[in-house]
Amino acid sequence: MSNSPNPNSHKLPQSGWMQRLTTPRGLAILGGVSAVLLVAAIVIGVILYRQINPSQPQPSLPPSLAEMAEKYPELAEILNDPELDSVYKEFLITYQEKGWDAAVELAHKRGLVNKDDEVLLTLELDTTESGDLVNQLEGYGVRVATVSGKLIDIAVPLKLIEEAAKSENPGEWLGQLSSLEHVVRVRLPQPSVEEQWGVELESLDGINASTWQEAGFSGEGIKIAIVDSGFTGYQDLLGSDLPDEVITRSFYDGYPDVDNGVTVHGKGCAEIVYDIAPEATMYLVTASTQAETEQAIDWLISEGVQIISHSGSWMIGLMDGNGNGAKIADNAFAKGVLWVNSSGNYAYSHYYGKFADKDSDGWHEYSGDDEMMTYTPYGTAIIALSWAEGDQDYDLYLDDKNGNTVASSENAPTDGSFGEEYIYYEFSDNEPYYISVYNAGATKAVNFNLLISNGEVEYPVAEYSLATPADARNSLTVGAINWADNALEYYSSQGPSFDGRLKPELTAAAKVSTNAYGDGAFDGTSASAPHVAGAAALVMQANPGFSNQQVRDYLINHSIDEGSYGPDNEFGHGRLYLGEPGAEIAEIEEPTPVSPEVTETSPAAVKATATYSSTPGATPTRKATTTPKPSASSKEVDFFGLGLFACVGLPALLGLGGLAFVLGVVYINRRQKTASQAAYPPRWEQPSNYGSQPPDWQTPPPAYQSPPYSPPPYQPPSYPSPPPYRPPEPSPEEIPTKPCPMCGHRIPVNARFCTHCGKLILPKSEPAPLGPRGLPGHCPHCGFSLRSTSKFCPNCGKRV
């Protein structure tokens, strides 16, 4: 056997699973399993991603009203009527294409029908003299629900509409309404949206109301009204969470009692007012549409009510203080009433921007080339689009996740001061929907306002997210903060108004406890507004000579500045604080209006400025606050995240780890082989005895030339001496062998290297032979044979 060093002699034996894993077969199996795990992780990840982020459909136009008019000539006059809201046209088209049942289903989803199976309509007039018109409507069999100013709410029984639909002229009844004298518009009534996203009130001490009550101020002698959509179950709270007696009246069409089963929202607002001003005279009044609310306010003024708390809003209009809703609040203020209104819960369901269409396909681009804004609904919702130039024509579309248009608003341009499109829709799921805006004939890009209730949108814009009458010039508008830490609630609508005025003026507590909603469950700016209304009652009682303007100034002046220094469009002048009883009022210089400006991609955040004054000693130390974004509690377990890690992350990590291990083993083996070859070069690369340079084997020998012949001198033959005698070696069959512990190949029992795998074989009981440092020998750490000049062992890497 040869004793020459083996190039693989530095590799030490391994045992167990690691030995099997590092064999070529083990590495191949590990690599295959790792690749399968990695592919599985990628496939599962793609499936989950598609489920979480479904592919967004591209906007497409349904057949236009003009095309439908050609298809159904019997409806042409109605479909081309610019004074008629497009939702009624959609109702007629649905009847023609799908029948009466489908049309009625659409009417319910789009808010056309009330609980008494009547189709609701609002008539906008050009006069307040409507007596003759009312008589004419009643002559047609139409029920006149509410008459107020230039608005009339009417209801038409479905039975009458069904009879008309089956006639030769199915849209005649609508044509008759829009053609009446003084009627300039027939539209869907706009219900008031409650700003609620709920015992002793947690926030009493935070506004210092407890101190005022202890000083004898409880609202006695002050008349305060809560105007709302419903006070379901209020009678159960009389004498406990509400006064012993309240004055009630309903202006809500179809609901003669304020305990109407519609909502407990008003009851929750009344509880807050009662906790702050328990001895005030309380009015509970229901109303929904603008016409109903205007009628209710006229009655309350006649009753001598001094404060009105309104935790609701309407979403159509420019929010510049000039709309019908804003005028209701301003007219009440002009007659001595302090109007307190919630700012709205639209900061995360509002979009404001300039129409952009870089690819000229007619669709607005919200961000980059995205023409469909994702919207996640929470039940019934209103989607309202408004812009300043009424002669410009834009349409509004709502599509489902499959790209089907489920609702649209395609009203014709008007001669009014602003344009509008309006969708009311009852959602039956929480799947993603898509909102798109289409240029239906506009000649210039406009800045438009898109407000959506009950949901969140993909591109929220907090600025300009007010709804009306929160934009009214004389409304004391209130945003929401968390009562526990005074942080602004993420949903709280922010200003400025469209004409640049500071809004809201104040912020007040939300997430408070009421009987109506439970412990800490009454959230939204709906809970904040009645805090201010109740505090105003205490101020009025303490200062009998104060006007509504002076009460307003007092509350603003004694508020505690929050957020950035000075008034801003998030917190207003600050959070509600009453100061000490008997504190004097100081004059307030209102912010200077700033005209809003908008770029093509996002609106400018217009900060209104104001001179800020405070009463020394009246407020505690100002505390900086932050505006939190909606997020899950840190104490909650993220089961989705854990599942995602188990299904995707863990297989991916195992797969990548296994592949990395295989590549690492291959890389290390190659490095070790290279080091071994450098230490022990093959025999054909070793120096020869023919000089310092090896012969050039690639150079061909010179051409053979025979020398001239001359016979050599005679030499006697010589015979080589016989080789020395050696005993015969045993045959391979006679040599005792054993299996190699590395690869199993049979080798002689005394062999130190395997002739098959080349690995060094050392019995566990025998230490590796070592050589003196600096002389030819072996590594003192692992037994690897070394050159005399080696400073590091190429096998274990340790210094020798």
Side-chain angles (χ1 to χ4, degrees):
M1 295 179 62
S2 173
N3 291 327
S4 61
N6 191 301
N8 293 320
S9 62
H10 61 281
K11 296 183 179 179
L12 294 177
Q14 299 174 348
S15 61
W17 66 272
M18 184 61 74
Q19 174 186 343
R20 292 189 294 273
L21 196 62
T22 54
T23 62
R25 182 181 180 185
L27 291 176
I29 294 175
L30 178 61
V33 172
S34 300
V36 170
L37 287 173
L38 192 58
V39 171
I42 294 173
V43 172
I44 296 174
V46 170
I47 294 174
L48 290 177
Y49 177 82
R50 288 181 176 177
Q51 290 179 347
I52 299 170
N53 301 284
S55 58
Q56 180 168 302
Q58 295 299 314
S60 59
L61 279 176
S64 66
L65 292 175
E67 293 172 337
M68 300 306 294
E70 293 182 1
K71 184 176 181 180
Y72 302 107
E74 65 274 22
L75 297 177
E77 184 177 355
I78 294 297
L79 297 182
N80 292 323
D81 186 352
E83 297 179 358
L84 183 64
D85 195 308
S86 68
V87 68
Y88 300 104
K89 302 174 183 179
E90 187 177 348
F91 172 81
L92 292 176
I93 292 172
T94 302
Y95 169 72
Q96 293 293 101
E97 294 190 331
K98 300 180 181 179
W100 178 250
D101 291 340
V104 173
E105 181 182 359
L106 171 75
H108 282 283
K109 278 186 171 292
R110 299 297 304 278
L112 274 67
V113 181
N114 64 10
K115 63 182 181 62
D116 297 323
D117 284 337
E118 296 173 315
V119 173
L120 304 174
L121 305 96
T122 292
L123 307 182
E124 292 185 3
L125 313 180
D126 60 5
T127 179
T128 57
E129 302 295 330
S130 56
D132 293 340
L133 180 59
V134 170
N135 294 332
Q136 193 173 2
L137 289 169
E138 291 175 343
Y140 288 151
V142 172
R143 184 173 67 84
V144 177
T146 307
V147 179
S148 181
K150 295 183 178 181
L151 298 176
I152 300 179
D153 291 341
I154 65 174
V156 182
L158 267 177
K159 290 183 178 179
L160 292 181
I161 296 175
E162 184 177 10
E163 292 175 2
K166 295 178 180 178
S167 67
E168 295 181 358
N169 191 353
E172 182 179 7
W173 65 280
L174 281 171
Q176 290 176 339
L177 292 176
S178 62
S179 62
L180 289 172
E181 187 178 6
H182 299 301
V183 174
V184 296
R185 176 90 186 277
V186 180
R187 64 170 171 81
L188 183 68
Q190 300 173 19
S192 175
V193 179
E194 301 161 354
E195 312 300 353
Q196 163 259 326
W197 261 63
V199 199
E200 185 176 281
L201 205 61
E202 302 95 329
S203 51
L204 284 179
D205 292 337
I207 66 175
N208 208 31
S210 300
T211 303
W212 280 64
Q213 291 174 357
E214 292 170 0
F217 301 110
S218 56
E220 184 179 4
I222 306 302
K223 293 183 177 181
I224 184 169
I226 295 91
V227 179
D228 209 281
S229 298
F231 297 84
T232 300
Y234 81 92
Q235 298 180 68
D236 297 334
L237 303 184
L238 295 178
S240 57
D241 291 312
L242 290 177
D244 294 335
E245 295 181 357
V246 295
I247 301 169
T248 67
R249 185 165 176 180
S250 174
F251 293 86
Y252 197 156
D253 181 51
Y255 299 94
D257 191 352
V258 299
D259 189 354
N260 52 21
V262 173
T263 179
V264 298
H265 184 265
K267 180 174 69 174
C269 295
E271 286 185 68
I272 294 174
V273 172
Y274 176 73
D275 281 335
I276 298 173
E279 295 189 30
T281 302
M282 186 174 292
Y283 287 72
L284 308 183
V285 178
T286 53
S288 181
T289 68
Q290 290 182 357
E292 293 169 353
T293 303
E294 191 171 7
Q295 199 174 64
I297 301 309
D298 289 341
W299 178 76
L300 289 172
I301 292 173
S302 69
E303 288 286 305
V305 168
Q306 297 143 290
I307 303 170
I308 292 178
S309 178
H310 184 246
S311 291
S313 60
W314 300 284
M315 299 167 61
I316 278 289
L318 289 183
M319 313 310 164
D320 60 356
N322 294 321
N324 288 333
K327 289 178 181 178
I328 293 174
D330 285 340
N331 291 338
F333 188 86
K335 296 178 181 180
V337 176
L338 179 66
W339 185 285
V340 181
N341 211 98
S342 55
S343 67
N345 298 339
Y346 306 113
Y348 266 73
S349 60
H350 165 257
Y351 176 84
Y352 179 59
K354 189 172 185 178
F355 187 84
D357 185 18
K358 293 189 291 291
D359 58 3
S360 301
D361 64 351
W363 296 99
H364 171 64
E365 294 150 357
Y366 291 95
S367 177
D369 58 355
D370 191 355
E371 297 173 337
M372 303 188 78
M373 180 167 63
T374 305
Y375 166 61
T376 305
Y378 307 146
T380 300
I382 293 172
I383 305 171
L385 178 71
S386 305
W387 61 95
E389 295 82 356
D391 59 343
Q392 301 298 305
D393 192 9
Y394 291 91
D395 290 337
L396 178 65
Y397 295 91
L398 176 67
D399 291 1
D400 62 17
K401 63 181 180 181
N402 298 318
N404 301 315
T405 300
V406 298
S408 64
S409 181
E410 304 170 72
N411 293 324
T414 67
D415 295 331
S417 60
F418 68 92
E420 64 179 68
E421 300 292 350
Y422 181 88
I423 292 176
Y424 177 102
Y425 196 80
E426 293 183 0
F427 293 93
S428 58
D429 56 43
N430 297 115
E431 295 293 328
Y433 286 78
Y434 302 94
I435 300 171
S436 51
V437 178
Y438 184 73
N439 182 342
T443 57
K444 65 178 179 178
V446 301
N447 300 328
F448 62 83
N449 194 48
L450 186 59
L451 277 172
I452 303 101
S453 67
N454 294 335
E456 294 185 7
V457 297
E458 183 178 5
Y459 304 110
V461 177
E463 293 85 2
Y464 307 98
S465 57
L466 301 168
T468 193
D471 64 318
R473 288 171 175 80
N474 294 304
S475 167
L476 185 51
T477 302
V478 186
I481 58 173
N482 190 311
W483 75 268
D485 59 8
N486 299 324
L488 186 71
E489 292 290 356
Y490 75 93
Y491 54 76
S492 183
S493 288
Q494 301 174 23
S497 62
F498 267 40
D499 57 335
R501 288 174 290 112
L502 176 78
K503 287 288 179 176
E505 283 83 12
L506 293 174
T507 50
K511 284 190 170 71
V512 295
S513 300
T514 60
N515 184 284
Y517 289 100
D519 292 343
F522 193 5
D523 202 1
T525 55
S526 280
S528 305
H531 278 85
V532 174
L538 302 186
V539 175
M540 280 189 177
Q541 180 190 3
N543 302 275
F546 273 11
S547 66
N548 55 355
Q549 181 64 53
Q550 287 175 304
V551 175
R552 172 189 169 98
D553 290 347
Y554 180 95
L555 294 173
I556 290 175
N557 187 65
H558 288 81
S559 63
I560 300 175
D561 187 22
E562 299 284 0
S564 57
Y565 184 78
D568 56 65
N569 289 303
E570 297 175 343
F571 293 89
H573 291 272
R575 64 179 171 88
L576 175 66
Y577 189 76
L578 279 166
E580 298 302 322
E584 295 182 357
I585 189 172
E587 292 296 327
I588 298 292
E589 182 181 346
E590 289 298 324
T592 303
V594 179
S595 298
E597 296 181 359
V598 182
T599 64
E600 287 192 0
T601 56
S602 64
V606 177
K607 278 280 187 178
T609 59
T611 301
Y612 179 77
S613 59
S614 61
T615 301
T619 61
T621 304
R622 179 180 181 275
K623 182 181 71 173
T625 59
T626 58
T627 303
K629 297 294 180 64
S631 60
S633 170
S634 58
K635 297 182 180 179
E636 295 179 357
V637 179
D638 186 359
F639 292 104
F640 176 77
L642 293 176
L644 189 63
F645 175 76
C647 295
V648 178
L650 190 58
L653 290 176
L654 292 174
L656 290 173
L659 292 176
F661 180 82
V662 171
L663 295 175
V665 170
V666 173
Y667 175 73
I668 291 173
N669 282 342
R670 288 187 176 180
R671 286 197 61 182
Q672 291 176 345
K673 183 176 180 181
T674 301
S676 175
Q677 290 176 347
Y680 302 96
R683 183 171 300 167
W684 54 83
E685 294 182 1
Q686 296 178 2
S688 67
N689 296 326
Y690 295 98
S692 58
Q693 297 295 330
D696 187 359
W697 300 106
Q698 297 182 354
T699 303
Y704 176 75
Q705 295 180 355
S706 59
Y709 176 76
S710 61
Y714 173 78
Q715 294 288 341
S718 60
Y719 299 95
S721 58
Y725 173 78
R726 292 182 179 180
E729 295 183 0
S731 63
E733 293 78 8
E734 298 175 354
I735 298 175
T737 61
K738 64 179 181 181
C740 172
M742 305 300 164
C743 64
H745 186 75
R746 302 295 300 185
I747 58 174
V749 293
N750 295 327
R752 299 190 58 193
F753 298 94
C754 177
T755 59
H756 182 73
C757 66
K759 294 186 177 181
L760 178 66
I761 303 169
L762 294 175
K764 292 184 179 180
S765 60
E766 297 181 9
L770 305 177
R773 184 183 299 273
L775 296 177
H778 300 83
C779 172
H781 304 290
C782 65
F784 177 75
S785 298
L786 304 176
R787 292 183 296 177
S788 60
T789 58
S790 296
K791 294 183 179 180
F792 294 89
C793 175
N795 181 56
C796 65
K798 294 182 179 181
R799 187 178 183 89
V800 297

